[in-house]
Amino acid sequence: MRWPPNKAWTSSKPIDGYRHFEVSSYGGKGDERWVELIAVMNDQIKFKLPWTDLKIFAKWTSGWLQLPKEES
């Protein structure tokens, strides 16, 4: 996966009720790289995670996936 990270991400499970996130900042080098994400619909939901977490397809998908109505 390329660095710097893509701007848009979809979580496989809701995080504080949200699944669509944007990268607000990123940094680090090598194994110490990190990404800060912010919920698209609520800018109060913000968190930092290791870059390696975004590479786990079971947790994250690059881009915004269309969600079923019951999840949107």
Short mmCIF file of all heavy atoms in Angstrom, two decimals:
data_model
loop_
_atom_site.label_atom_id
_atom_site.label_comp_id
_atom_site.label_asym_id
_atom_site.label_seq_id
_atom_site.Cartn_x
_atom_site.Cartn_y
_atom_site.Cartn_z
N MET A 1 0.86 -1.18 0.00
CA MET A 1 0.00 0.00 0.00
C MET A 1 0.90 1.24 0.00
O MET A 1 1.94 1.25 0.63
CB MET A 1 -0.90 -0.03 1.23
CG MET A 1 -2.03 0.93 1.12
SD MET A 1 -3.21 0.82 2.49
CE MET A 1 -3.83 -0.82 2.32
N ARG A 2 0.46 2.24 -0.67
CA ARG A 2 1.31 3.42 -0.87
C ARG A 2 1.29 4.38 0.32
O ARG A 2 0.34 4.38 1.11
CB ARG A 2 0.89 4.16 -2.13
CG ARG A 2 -0.45 4.87 -2.02
CD ARG A 2 -0.83 5.55 -3.34
NE ARG A 2 -2.07 6.26 -3.22
CZ ARG A 2 -2.19 7.50 -2.75
NH1 ARG A 2 -1.14 8.16 -2.35
NH2 ARG A 2 -3.36 8.08 -2.68
N TRP A 3 2.34 5.12 0.44
CA TRP A 3 2.46 6.18 1.44
C TRP A 3 2.71 7.47 0.69
O TRP A 3 3.51 7.47 -0.24
CB TRP A 3 3.63 5.88 2.39
CG TRP A 3 3.75 6.87 3.51
CD1 TRP A 3 4.62 7.90 3.55
CD2 TRP A 3 2.99 6.91 4.71
NE1 TRP A 3 4.45 8.59 4.73
CE2 TRP A 3 3.45 8.00 5.45
CE3 TRP A 3 1.95 6.15 5.23
CZ2 TRP A 3 2.93 8.34 6.69
CZ3 TRP A 3 1.44 6.49 6.45
CH2 TRP A 3 1.91 7.57 7.17
N PRO A 4 2.09 8.58 0.95
CA PRO A 4 1.14 8.80 2.04
C PRO A 4 -0.19 8.09 1.78
O PRO A 4 -0.50 7.72 0.65
CB PRO A 4 0.96 10.31 2.05
CG PRO A 4 1.32 10.77 0.69
CD PRO A 4 2.33 9.80 0.17
N PRO A 5 -0.97 7.91 2.83
CA PRO A 5 -2.22 7.15 2.73
C PRO A 5 -3.29 7.87 1.91
O PRO A 5 -3.26 9.09 1.77
CB PRO A 5 -2.67 7.02 4.18
CG PRO A 5 -2.05 8.18 4.88
CD PRO A 5 -0.75 8.43 4.17
N ASN A 6 -4.21 7.08 1.37
CA ASN A 6 -5.37 7.65 0.69
C ASN A 6 -6.16 8.48 1.68
O ASN A 6 -6.11 8.25 2.89
CB ASN A 6 -6.26 6.54 0.13
CG ASN A 6 -5.58 5.80 -1.01
OD1 ASN A 6 -4.75 6.35 -1.71
ND2 ASN A 6 -5.94 4.55 -1.17
N LYS A 7 -6.93 9.42 1.18
CA LYS A 7 -7.69 10.35 2.03
C LYS A 7 -8.94 9.72 2.65
O LYS A 7 -9.29 10.01 3.78
CB LYS A 7 -8.08 11.57 1.17
CG LYS A 7 -8.80 12.65 1.91
CD LYS A 7 -7.85 13.57 2.62
CE LYS A 7 -8.61 14.77 3.15
NZ LYS A 7 -7.90 15.41 4.24
N ALA A 8 -9.62 8.83 1.93
CA ALA A 8 -10.91 8.29 2.37
C ALA A 8 -10.78 6.81 2.76
O ALA A 8 -10.13 6.03 2.07
CB ALA A 8 -11.93 8.44 1.24
N TRP A 9 -11.46 6.45 3.87
CA TRP A 9 -11.43 5.07 4.37
C TRP A 9 -12.80 4.68 4.91
O TRP A 9 -13.52 5.50 5.46
CB TRP A 9 -10.40 4.95 5.49
CG TRP A 9 -9.01 5.10 4.97
CD1 TRP A 9 -8.31 6.27 4.81
CD2 TRP A 9 -8.17 4.08 4.48
NE1 TRP A 9 -7.09 6.02 4.25
CE2 TRP A 9 -6.97 4.68 4.04
CE3 TRP A 9 -8.30 2.70 4.36
CZ2 TRP A 9 -5.92 3.95 3.51
CZ3 TRP A 9 -7.25 1.97 3.84
CH2 TRP A 9 -6.08 2.59 3.41
N THR A 10 -13.12 3.39 4.77
CA THR A 10 -14.35 2.83 5.34
C THR A 10 -13.96 1.73 6.33
O THR A 10 -13.20 0.82 5.99
CB THR A 10 -15.25 2.22 4.24
OG1 THR A 10 -15.59 3.24 3.31
CG2 THR A 10 -16.52 1.65 4.84
N SER A 11 -14.49 1.83 7.53
CA SER A 11 -14.25 0.82 8.56
C SER A 11 -15.21 -0.34 8.35
O SER A 11 -16.37 -0.15 7.98
CB SER A 11 -14.48 1.44 9.94
OG SER A 11 -14.39 0.45 10.94
N SER A 12 -14.75 -1.57 8.61
CA SER A 12 -15.63 -2.73 8.44
C SER A 12 -16.69 -2.78 9.54
O SER A 12 -17.75 -3.36 9.35
CB SER A 12 -14.81 -4.03 8.45
OG SER A 12 -14.13 -4.17 9.68
N LYS A 13 -16.42 -2.14 10.68
CA LYS A 13 -17.38 -2.08 11.79
C LYS A 13 -17.51 -0.61 12.24
O LYS A 13 -16.55 0.14 12.16
CB LYS A 13 -16.90 -2.92 12.96
CG LYS A 13 -16.83 -4.39 12.62
CD LYS A 13 -16.42 -5.20 13.81
CE LYS A 13 -16.40 -6.67 13.41
NZ LYS A 13 -15.93 -7.52 14.48
N PRO A 14 -18.67 -0.24 12.72
CA PRO A 14 -18.83 1.14 13.19
C PRO A 14 -17.87 1.48 14.33
O PRO A 14 -17.60 0.66 15.20
CB PRO A 14 -20.28 1.18 13.69
CG PRO A 14 -20.96 0.05 13.01
CD PRO A 14 -19.92 -1.00 12.83
N ILE A 15 -17.34 2.68 14.27
CA ILE A 15 -16.50 3.22 15.34
C ILE A 15 -17.24 4.46 15.85
O ILE A 15 -17.43 5.42 15.10
CB ILE A 15 -15.10 3.59 14.82
CG1 ILE A 15 -14.40 2.33 14.29
CG2 ILE A 15 -14.29 4.28 15.91
CD1 ILE A 15 -13.08 2.59 13.61
N ASP A 16 -17.70 4.39 17.07
CA ASP A 16 -18.53 5.45 17.65
C ASP A 16 -19.72 5.78 16.75
O ASP A 16 -20.13 6.93 16.64
CB ASP A 16 -17.70 6.71 17.94
CG ASP A 16 -16.71 6.50 19.07
OD1 ASP A 16 -17.00 5.71 19.99
OD2 ASP A 16 -15.65 7.15 19.05
N GLY A 17 -20.25 4.75 16.09
CA GLY A 17 -21.43 4.92 15.24
C GLY A 17 -21.15 5.32 13.80
O GLY A 17 -22.08 5.50 13.02
N TYR A 18 -19.89 5.44 13.41
CA TYR A 18 -19.53 5.89 12.05
C TYR A 18 -18.62 4.89 11.36
O TYR A 18 -17.84 4.19 12.02
CB TYR A 18 -18.84 7.26 12.12
CG TYR A 18 -19.71 8.31 12.73
CD1 TYR A 18 -19.63 8.62 14.07
CD2 TYR A 18 -20.66 8.96 11.96
CE1 TYR A 18 -20.46 9.56 14.65
CE2 TYR A 18 -21.50 9.91 12.52
CZ TYR A 18 -21.39 10.20 13.86
OH TYR A 18 -22.22 11.14 14.42
N ARG A 19 -18.72 4.84 10.04
CA ARG A 19 -17.88 3.93 9.25
C ARG A 19 -17.04 4.64 8.20
O ARG A 19 -16.09 4.08 7.70
CB ARG A 19 -18.74 2.85 8.59
CG ARG A 19 -19.33 1.92 9.65
CD ARG A 19 -19.89 0.65 9.13
NE ARG A 19 -19.04 0.00 8.17
CZ ARG A 19 -19.50 -0.86 7.25
NH1 ARG A 19 -20.78 -1.15 7.21
NH2 ARG A 19 -18.69 -1.41 6.39
N HIS A 20 -17.38 5.88 7.84
CA HIS A 20 -16.61 6.62 6.84
C HIS A 20 -15.71 7.66 7.52
O HIS A 20 -16.18 8.45 8.33
CB HIS A 20 -17.54 7.33 5.85
CG HIS A 20 -18.28 6.38 4.97
ND1 HIS A 20 -19.64 6.45 4.78
CD2 HIS A 20 -17.86 5.33 4.23
CE1 HIS A 20 -20.01 5.50 3.96
NE2 HIS A 20 -18.95 4.79 3.62
N PHE A 21 -14.44 7.63 7.13
CA PHE A 21 -13.43 8.49 7.76
C PHE A 21 -12.52 9.11 6.72
O PHE A 21 -12.36 8.56 5.63
CB PHE A 21 -12.59 7.68 8.76
CG PHE A 21 -13.38 7.13 9.90
CD1 PHE A 21 -14.02 5.91 9.79
CD2 PHE A 21 -13.54 7.85 11.06
CE1 PHE A 21 -14.79 5.40 10.83
CE2 PHE A 21 -14.29 7.36 12.11
CZ PHE A 21 -14.92 6.14 11.99
N GLU A 22 -11.95 10.26 7.08
CA GLU A 22 -10.94 10.93 6.26
C GLU A 22 -9.65 11.04 7.05
O GLU A 22 -9.68 11.21 8.27
CB GLU A 22 -11.38 12.35 5.90
CG GLU A 22 -12.38 12.43 4.81
CD GLU A 22 -12.64 13.87 4.39
OE1 GLU A 22 -12.47 14.80 5.21
OE2 GLU A 22 -13.04 14.06 3.24
N VAL A 23 -8.54 10.96 6.34
CA VAL A 23 -7.25 11.17 6.97
C VAL A 23 -7.10 12.67 7.23
O VAL A 23 -7.23 13.48 6.31
CB VAL A 23 -6.10 10.66 6.07
CG1 VAL A 23 -4.75 11.06 6.63
CG2 VAL A 23 -6.20 9.15 5.91
N SER A 24 -6.86 13.04 8.49
CA SER A 24 -6.66 14.46 8.80
C SER A 24 -5.18 14.79 8.93
O SER A 24 -4.77 15.92 8.70
CB SER A 24 -7.42 14.85 10.07
OG SER A 24 -6.96 14.11 11.17
N SER A 25 -4.36 13.80 9.31
CA SER A 25 -2.91 13.99 9.36
C SER A 25 -2.25 12.62 9.42
O SER A 25 -2.90 11.61 9.68
CB SER A 25 -2.50 14.85 10.57
OG SER A 25 -2.85 14.22 11.77
N TYR A 26 -0.95 12.61 9.17
CA TYR A 26 -0.18 11.37 9.20
C TYR A 26 1.28 11.71 9.41
O TYR A 26 1.70 12.86 9.22
CB TYR A 26 -0.39 10.56 7.92
CG TYR A 26 -0.10 11.31 6.65
CD1 TYR A 26 1.19 11.40 6.15
CD2 TYR A 26 -1.12 11.96 5.97
CE1 TYR A 26 1.45 12.11 4.99
CE2 TYR A 26 -0.88 12.67 4.81
CZ TYR A 26 0.41 12.74 4.33
OH TYR A 26 0.68 13.44 3.18
N GLY A 27 2.04 10.72 9.82
CA GLY A 27 3.46 10.98 10.06
C GLY A 27 4.21 9.73 10.44
O GLY A 27 3.70 8.62 10.35
N GLY A 28 5.43 9.92 10.88
CA GLY A 28 6.28 8.83 11.27
C GLY A 28 7.08 8.29 10.10
O GLY A 28 6.91 8.71 8.96
N LYS A 29 7.97 7.34 10.43
CA LYS A 29 8.80 6.70 9.41
C LYS A 29 8.83 5.20 9.66
O LYS A 29 8.80 4.76 10.81
CB LYS A 29 10.22 7.25 9.45
CG LYS A 29 10.33 8.68 9.01
CD LYS A 29 11.76 9.13 8.95
CE LYS A 29 11.79 10.58 8.46
NZ LYS A 29 13.12 11.02 8.12
N GLY A 30 8.92 4.44 8.57
CA GLY A 30 9.04 2.99 8.69
C GLY A 30 7.91 2.37 9.49
O GLY A 30 6.74 2.66 9.27
N ASP A 31 8.29 1.54 10.47
CA ASP A 31 7.30 0.86 11.31
C ASP A 31 6.60 1.78 12.29
O ASP A 31 5.66 1.37 12.96
CB ASP A 31 7.97 -0.28 12.08
CG ASP A 31 8.42 -1.41 11.17
OD1 ASP A 31 7.90 -1.51 10.05
OD2 ASP A 31 9.30 -2.19 11.60
N GLU A 32 7.05 3.01 12.39
CA GLU A 32 6.46 3.98 13.33
C GLU A 32 5.44 4.91 12.66
O GLU A 32 5.03 5.90 13.26
CB GLU A 32 7.56 4.82 13.98
CG GLU A 32 8.58 3.99 14.74
CD GLU A 32 7.95 3.22 15.89
OE1 GLU A 32 7.13 3.80 16.61
OE2 GLU A 32 8.29 2.03 16.05
N ARG A 33 5.04 4.61 11.44
CA ARG A 33 4.07 5.47 10.75
C ARG A 33 2.70 5.38 11.42
O ARG A 33 2.29 4.34 11.90
CB ARG A 33 3.94 5.06 9.28
CG ARG A 33 5.14 5.44 8.48
CD ARG A 33 4.97 5.06 7.04
NE ARG A 33 6.09 5.59 6.27
CZ ARG A 33 6.43 5.17 5.08
NH1 ARG A 33 5.74 4.21 4.49
NH2 ARG A 33 7.45 5.68 4.46
N TRP A 34 2.01 6.52 11.44
CA TRP A 34 0.68 6.60 12.04
C TRP A 34 -0.22 7.45 11.16
O TRP A 34 0.24 8.19 10.31
CB TRP A 34 0.76 7.20 13.45
CG TRP A 34 1.44 8.53 13.48
CD1 TRP A 34 2.78 8.75 13.69
CD2 TRP A 34 0.86 9.82 13.23
NE1 TRP A 34 3.06 10.09 13.60
CE2 TRP A 34 1.90 10.78 13.33
CE3 TRP A 34 -0.43 10.25 12.94
CZ2 TRP A 34 1.67 12.14 13.15
CZ3 TRP A 34 -0.64 11.60 12.77
CH2 TRP A 34 0.39 12.53 12.88
N VAL A 35 -1.51 7.31 11.39
CA VAL A 35 -2.53 8.05 10.64
C VAL A 35 -3.58 8.52 11.63
O VAL A 35 -3.99 7.78 12.52
CB VAL A 35 -3.19 7.15 9.57
CG1 VAL A 35 -4.29 7.87 8.84
CG2 VAL A 35 -2.16 6.63 8.59
N GLU A 36 -4.02 9.78 11.50
CA GLU A 36 -5.13 10.29 12.29
C GLU A 36 -6.36 10.36 11.40
O GLU A 36 -6.30 10.92 10.30
CB GLU A 36 -4.81 11.68 12.86
CG GLU A 36 -5.92 12.15 13.78
CD GLU A 36 -5.57 13.47 14.45
OE1 GLU A 36 -5.43 14.47 13.72
OE2 GLU A 36 -5.45 13.48 15.68
N LEU A 37 -7.43 9.74 11.85
CA LEU A 37 -8.69 9.72 11.09
C LEU A 37 -9.75 10.54 11.80
O LEU A 37 -9.76 10.63 13.03
CB LEU A 37 -9.18 8.28 10.93
CG LEU A 37 -8.30 7.34 10.15
CD1 LEU A 37 -8.88 5.94 10.17
CD2 LEU A 37 -8.12 7.81 8.72
N ILE A 38 -10.65 11.10 11.00
CA ILE A 38 -11.76 11.89 11.52
C ILE A 38 -13.03 11.41 10.80
O ILE A 38 -13.02 11.16 9.61
CB ILE A 38 -11.51 13.40 11.31
CG1 ILE A 38 -12.56 14.23 12.01
CG2 ILE A 38 -11.38 13.76 9.86
CD1 ILE A 38 -12.19 15.70 12.11
N ALA A 39 -14.11 11.24 11.56
CA ALA A 39 -15.38 10.79 10.98
C ALA A 39 -15.91 11.85 10.02
O ALA A 39 -15.90 13.05 10.34
CB ALA A 39 -16.40 10.50 12.07
N VAL A 40 -16.37 11.43 8.87
CA VAL A 40 -16.87 12.36 7.85
C VAL A 40 -18.08 13.13 8.35
O VAL A 40 -18.20 14.33 8.11
CB VAL A 40 -17.21 11.59 6.55
CG1 VAL A 40 -17.89 12.48 5.54
CG2 VAL A 40 -15.95 10.97 5.96
N MET A 41 -18.96 12.48 9.07
CA MET A 41 -20.21 13.12 9.50
C MET A 41 -20.14 13.76 10.88
O MET A 41 -21.13 14.35 11.34
CB MET A 41 -21.34 12.08 9.48
CG MET A 41 -21.60 11.49 8.11
SD MET A 41 -22.14 12.69 6.89
CE MET A 41 -23.78 13.02 7.47
N ASN A 42 -18.99 13.63 11.58
CA ASN A 42 -18.87 14.21 12.91
C ASN A 42 -17.40 14.47 13.21
O ASN A 42 -16.67 13.57 13.60
CB ASN A 42 -19.45 13.25 13.96
CG ASN A 42 -19.41 13.82 15.36
OD1 ASN A 42 -18.76 14.81 15.63
ND2 ASN A 42 -20.13 13.17 16.27
N ASP A 43 -16.99 15.72 13.05
CA ASP A 43 -15.57 16.04 13.22
C ASP A 43 -15.09 15.97 14.67
O ASP A 43 -13.92 16.19 14.96
CB ASP A 43 -15.22 17.38 12.59
CG ASP A 43 -15.94 18.56 13.24
OD1 ASP A 43 -16.68 18.36 14.22
OD2 ASP A 43 -15.76 19.68 12.73
N GLN A 44 -15.98 15.63 15.59
CA GLN A 44 -15.58 15.43 16.99
C GLN A 44 -15.02 14.02 17.21
O GLN A 44 -14.38 13.76 18.22
CB GLN A 44 -16.78 15.66 17.92
CG GLN A 44 -17.36 17.05 17.83
CD GLN A 44 -16.34 18.13 18.15
OE1 GLN A 44 -15.71 18.10 19.20
NE2 GLN A 44 -16.14 19.05 17.22
N ILE A 45 -15.29 13.12 16.26
CA ILE A 45 -14.78 11.74 16.34
C ILE A 45 -13.46 11.71 15.61
O ILE A 45 -13.41 11.74 14.38
CB ILE A 45 -15.78 10.73 15.73
CG1 ILE A 45 -17.17 10.88 16.33
CG2 ILE A 45 -15.24 9.31 15.86
CD1 ILE A 45 -17.27 10.62 17.80
N LYS A 46 -12.38 11.65 16.37
CA LYS A 46 -11.04 11.72 15.81
C LYS A 46 -10.15 10.76 16.59
O LYS A 46 -10.25 10.68 17.82
CB LYS A 46 -10.52 13.15 15.96
CG LYS A 46 -9.25 13.46 15.23
CD LYS A 46 -8.78 14.87 15.50
CE LYS A 46 -9.66 15.90 14.85
NZ LYS A 46 -9.10 17.26 14.87
N PHE A 47 -9.29 10.01 15.90
CA PHE A 47 -8.39 9.10 16.59
C PHE A 47 -7.17 8.81 15.72
O PHE A 47 -7.18 8.98 14.51
CB PHE A 47 -9.10 7.79 16.96
CG PHE A 47 -9.73 7.09 15.81
CD1 PHE A 47 -9.05 6.10 15.12
CD2 PHE A 47 -11.01 7.42 15.39
CE1 PHE A 47 -9.63 5.45 14.04
CE2 PHE A 47 -11.60 6.77 14.31
CZ PHE A 47 -10.91 5.79 13.64
N LYS A 48 -6.11 8.39 16.39
CA LYS A 48 -4.85 8.06 15.73
C LYS A 48 -4.64 6.55 15.81
O LYS A 48 -4.94 5.95 16.85
CB LYS A 48 -3.70 8.78 16.43
CG LYS A 48 -2.38 8.71 15.68
CD LYS A 48 -1.24 9.29 16.49
CE LYS A 48 -1.21 10.79 16.41
NZ LYS A 48 0.02 11.36 17.01
N LEU A 49 -4.15 5.95 14.73
CA LEU A 49 -3.86 4.53 14.74
C LEU A 49 -2.60 4.25 13.93
O LEU A 49 -2.21 5.06 13.09
CB LEU A 49 -5.04 3.71 14.22
CG LEU A 49 -5.41 3.79 12.75
CD1 LEU A 49 -6.17 2.54 12.37
CD2 LEU A 49 -6.28 4.99 12.50
N PRO A 50 -1.96 3.11 14.19
CA PRO A 50 -0.78 2.76 13.41
C PRO A 50 -1.14 2.53 11.95
O PRO A 50 -2.21 2.00 11.62
CB PRO A 50 -0.30 1.45 14.04
CG PRO A 50 -0.97 1.36 15.36
CD PRO A 50 -2.25 2.14 15.24
N TRP A 51 -0.26 2.93 11.05
CA TRP A 51 -0.45 2.75 9.62
C TRP A 51 -0.71 1.28 9.30
O TRP A 51 -1.50 0.96 8.42
CB TRP A 51 0.79 3.27 8.90
CG TRP A 51 0.96 2.90 7.49
CD1 TRP A 51 2.00 2.21 6.95
CD2 TRP A 51 0.09 3.18 6.38
NE1 TRP A 51 1.85 2.06 5.60
CE2 TRP A 51 0.67 2.66 5.22
CE3 TRP A 51 -1.13 3.85 6.26
CZ2 TRP A 51 0.09 2.76 3.98
CZ3 TRP A 51 -1.71 3.95 5.02
CH2 TRP A 51 -1.10 3.41 3.90
N THR A 52 -0.07 0.37 10.02
CA THR A 52 -0.24 -1.06 9.75
C THR A 52 -1.69 -1.50 9.95
O THR A 52 -2.14 -2.42 9.29
CB THR A 52 0.69 -1.90 10.64
OG1 THR A 52 0.49 -1.53 12.01
CG2 THR A 52 2.15 -1.69 10.27
N ASP A 53 -2.45 -0.83 10.83
CA ASP A 53 -3.86 -1.18 11.02
C ASP A 53 -4.69 -0.93 9.77
O ASP A 53 -5.61 -1.70 9.46
CB ASP A 53 -4.47 -0.41 12.19
CG ASP A 53 -4.09 -0.97 13.54
OD1 ASP A 53 -3.18 -1.84 13.60
OD2 ASP A 53 -4.69 -0.54 14.55
N LEU A 54 -4.40 0.14 9.04
CA LEU A 54 -5.16 0.45 7.82
C LEU A 54 -4.88 -0.57 6.71
O LEU A 54 -5.66 -0.68 5.78
CB LEU A 54 -4.84 1.85 7.31
CG LEU A 54 -5.46 3.01 8.06
CD1 LEU A 54 -5.09 4.32 7.38
CD2 LEU A 54 -6.97 2.88 8.14
N LYS A 55 -3.80 -1.31 6.82
CA LYS A 55 -3.46 -2.30 5.81
C LYS A 55 -4.22 -3.61 6.00
O LYS A 55 -4.17 -4.49 5.16
CB LYS A 55 -1.96 -2.61 5.85
CG LYS A 55 -1.09 -1.43 5.46
CD LYS A 55 0.35 -1.88 5.51
CE LYS A 55 1.32 -0.76 5.28
NZ LYS A 55 2.70 -1.25 5.33
N ILE A 56 -4.95 -3.75 7.10
CA ILE A 56 -5.70 -4.97 7.39
C ILE A 56 -7.07 -4.86 6.72
O ILE A 56 -7.95 -4.13 7.19
CB ILE A 56 -5.84 -5.19 8.91
CG1 ILE A 56 -4.45 -5.28 9.55
CG2 ILE A 56 -6.66 -6.44 9.19
CD1 ILE A 56 -4.46 -5.27 11.06
N PHE A 57 -7.25 -5.59 5.62
CA PHE A 57 -8.47 -5.48 4.83
C PHE A 57 -9.72 -5.87 5.63
O PHE A 57 -10.80 -5.36 5.38
CB PHE A 57 -8.37 -6.31 3.55
CG PHE A 57 -9.53 -6.12 2.62
CD1 PHE A 57 -9.65 -4.94 1.90
CD2 PHE A 57 -10.50 -7.09 2.48
CE1 PHE A 57 -10.73 -4.74 1.05
CE2 PHE A 57 -11.57 -6.90 1.62
CZ PHE A 57 -11.68 -5.72 0.91
N ALA A 58 -9.57 -6.76 6.60
CA ALA A 58 -10.72 -7.17 7.42
C ALA A 58 -11.23 -6.02 8.29
O ALA A 58 -12.37 -6.04 8.74
CB ALA A 58 -10.34 -8.36 8.29
N LYS A 59 -10.39 -4.98 8.49
CA LYS A 59 -10.78 -3.84 9.32
C LYS A 59 -11.09 -2.59 8.50
O LYS A 59 -11.98 -1.83 8.85
CB LYS A 59 -9.67 -3.49 10.31
CG LYS A 59 -9.43 -4.52 11.38
CD LYS A 59 -8.37 -4.03 12.34
CE LYS A 59 -8.13 -5.01 13.45
NZ LYS A 59 -7.10 -4.50 14.39
N TRP A 60 -10.31 -2.35 7.43
CA TRP A 60 -10.41 -1.10 6.68
C TRP A 60 -10.37 -1.33 5.18
O TRP A 60 -9.67 -2.20 4.70
CB TRP A 60 -9.23 -0.18 7.04
CG TRP A 60 -9.28 0.29 8.45
CD1 TRP A 60 -8.61 -0.25 9.51
CD2 TRP A 60 -10.04 1.37 8.96
NE1 TRP A 60 -8.92 0.44 10.65
CE2 TRP A 60 -9.79 1.44 10.34
CE3 TRP A 60 -10.92 2.29 8.39
CZ2 TRP A 60 -10.38 2.39 11.17
CZ3 TRP A 60 -11.50 3.24 9.20
CH2 TRP A 60 -11.23 3.28 10.58
N THR A 61 -11.12 -0.49 4.46
CA THR A 61 -11.10 -0.48 3.00
C THR A 61 -10.80 0.94 2.55
O THR A 61 -11.40 1.90 3.05
CB THR A 61 -12.46 -0.92 2.42
OG1 THR A 61 -12.77 -2.22 2.92
CG2 THR A 61 -12.44 -0.94 0.92
N SER A 62 -9.87 1.06 1.63
CA SER A 62 -9.54 2.38 1.09
C SER A 62 -10.71 2.88 0.26
O SER A 62 -11.29 2.15 -0.54
CB SER A 62 -8.29 2.26 0.22
OG SER A 62 -7.97 3.50 -0.34
N GLY A 63 -11.10 4.13 0.48
CA GLY A 63 -12.25 4.72 -0.21
C GLY A 63 -13.50 4.61 0.64
O GLY A 63 -13.49 4.03 1.72
N TRP A 64 -14.57 5.20 0.15
CA TRP A 64 -15.85 5.13 0.86
C TRP A 64 -16.75 4.15 0.15
O TRP A 64 -17.15 4.36 -1.00
CB TRP A 64 -16.51 6.50 0.92
CG TRP A 64 -15.76 7.48 1.76
CD1 TRP A 64 -14.99 7.20 2.84
CD2 TRP A 64 -15.73 8.89 1.59
NE1 TRP A 64 -14.47 8.36 3.35
CE2 TRP A 64 -14.91 9.41 2.61
CE3 TRP A 64 -16.31 9.76 0.69
CZ2 TRP A 64 -14.65 10.76 2.74
CZ3 TRP A 64 -16.05 11.10 0.82
CH2 TRP A 64 -15.24 11.60 1.84
N LEU A 65 -17.07 3.07 0.84
CA LEU A 65 -17.98 2.07 0.28
C LEU A 65 -19.42 2.51 0.53
O LEU A 65 -19.73 3.10 1.56
CB LEU A 65 -17.75 0.72 0.95
CG LEU A 65 -16.36 0.12 0.83
CD1 LEU A 65 -16.30 -1.21 1.54
CD2 LEU A 65 -15.97 -0.02 -0.63
N GLN A 66 -20.28 2.18 -0.44
CA GLN A 66 -21.71 2.44 -0.22
C GLN A 66 -22.22 1.42 0.78
O GLN A 66 -22.02 0.22 0.60
CB GLN A 66 -22.47 2.36 -1.53
CG GLN A 66 -23.91 2.74 -1.37
CD GLN A 66 -24.61 2.91 -2.71
OE1 GLN A 66 -24.00 2.82 -3.76
NE2 GLN A 66 -25.89 3.16 -2.67
N LEU A 67 -22.86 1.89 1.83
CA LEU A 67 -23.36 1.02 2.89
C LEU A 67 -24.82 0.67 2.67
O LEU A 67 -25.58 1.46 2.10
CB LEU A 67 -23.20 1.71 4.24
CG LEU A 67 -21.79 2.14 4.62
CD1 LEU A 67 -21.81 2.93 5.92
CD2 LEU A 67 -20.88 0.95 4.73
N PRO A 68 -25.24 -0.53 3.15
CA PRO A 68 -26.68 -0.86 3.08
C PRO A 68 -27.46 0.18 3.88
O PRO A 68 -26.95 0.78 4.83
CB PRO A 68 -26.73 -2.22 3.78
CG PRO A 68 -25.35 -2.76 3.74
CD PRO A 68 -24.43 -1.57 3.73
N LYS A 69 -28.71 0.41 3.50
CA LYS A 69 -29.54 1.45 4.13
C LYS A 69 -29.57 1.32 5.64
O LYS A 69 -29.55 2.31 6.35
CB LYS A 69 -30.94 1.43 3.57
CG LYS A 69 -31.07 2.13 2.25
CD LYS A 69 -32.53 2.40 1.94
CE LYS A 69 -32.62 3.08 0.61
NZ LYS A 69 -32.93 4.48 0.72
N GLU A 70 -29.66 0.10 6.16
CA GLU A 70 -29.75 -0.08 7.61
C GLU A 70 -28.45 0.33 8.33
O GLU A 70 -28.46 0.51 9.53
CB GLU A 70 -30.12 -1.52 7.98
CG GLU A 70 -29.16 -2.58 7.52
CD GLU A 70 -29.43 -3.10 6.11
OE1 GLU A 70 -30.33 -2.59 5.42
OE2 GLU A 70 -28.73 -4.03 5.71
N GLU A 71 -27.36 0.49 7.60
CA GLU A 71 -26.09 0.89 8.21
C GLU A 71 -25.72 2.34 7.92
O GLU A 71 -24.76 2.84 8.46
CB GLU A 71 -24.96 -0.01 7.72
CG GLU A 71 -25.06 -1.42 8.19
CD GLU A 71 -23.83 -2.21 7.85
OE1 GLU A 71 -22.73 -1.71 8.10
OE2 GLU A 71 -23.97 -3.30 7.31
N SER A 72 -26.43 3.02 7.05
CA SER A 72 -26.04 4.39 6.68
C SER A 72 -26.66 5.41 7.60
O SER A 72 -27.47 5.14 8.42
CB SER A 72 -26.41 4.66 5.25
OG SER A 72 -27.77 4.45 5.01
#
